[in-house]
Every structure is written in structure tokens, then in C-alpha cells.
Amino acid sequence: MYKLTNVSWNELIRRLRKLGFEGPYLSSGPHPYFMKKGDLTVDLPNPHKQDIGVDLLKKVLKQAEISREEWFSVA
């Protein structure tokens, strides 16, 4: 199994799009951006578009219901 590493904000968006998510869209809530896939909504962290750390990436993947295998399949 591959090990998760930090990813850039742009890489996070690219991979989520490959996995069927649309966006990012502007939000009026606490997170400035979100992406959608059907009824599933994922809040995007880091409005300054800096690297996303492993712990935060794990939270995003869990919220998006994406397994590690799926994440690495679109690398």
C-alpha cells in the first residue's frame, strides 16, 4: 500500500475531479470552497492554496468517501 504524502491544493482539486467531483465552488460558509459529487459535498481546506498535510488530507478523503486505493489510482 502506498503512503499518503502532502499534496498541493491544485493536485487535490485535480484528483477529486478525476474521481467525479465537480467544482470547486465558492461558499458562504466557514470554508471558502467546496466540491460536489451527487449528494456528497466536500469542504475544501486551505484558501491560500498551500500544501495540504497528511492529517488534513485523510479528513478530506474520509469526508469524500474515497479509499486510499481510489486516491492512488488517479495519481
Side-chain angles (χ1 to χ4, degrees), residues 42-43 53-65:
V42 176
D43 295 321
V54 173
D55 290 337
L56 190 51
L57 178 59
K58 285 179 185 178
K59 290 178 183 179
V60 170
L61 295 180
K62 184 175 182 177
Q63 184 181 17
E65 299 176 0

Side-chain angles (χ1 to χ4, degrees), residues 3-21:
K3 184 177 179 181
L4 290 174
T5 60
N6 295 353
V7 295
S8 70
W9 195 85
N10 289 330
E11 180 68 11
L12 174 66
I13 300 305
R14 184 185 70 79
R15 288 192 190 189
L16 288 175
R17 283 182 179 155
K18 282 187 172 184
L19 291 165
F21 284 83

Side-chain angles (χ1 to χ4, degrees), residues 44-58:
L44 297 177
N46 211 343
H48 304 291
K49 299 183 181 174
Q50 298 170 343
D51 280 356
I52 308 297
V54 173
D55 290 337
L56 190 51
L57 178 59
K58 285 179 185 178

Side-chain angles (χ1 to χ4, degrees), residues 62-75:
K62 184 175 182 177
Q63 184 181 17
E65 299 176 0
I66 296 172
S67 69
R68 284 182 186 226
E69 291 78 20
E70 288 176 298
W71 177 252
F72 287 111
S73 72
V74 294

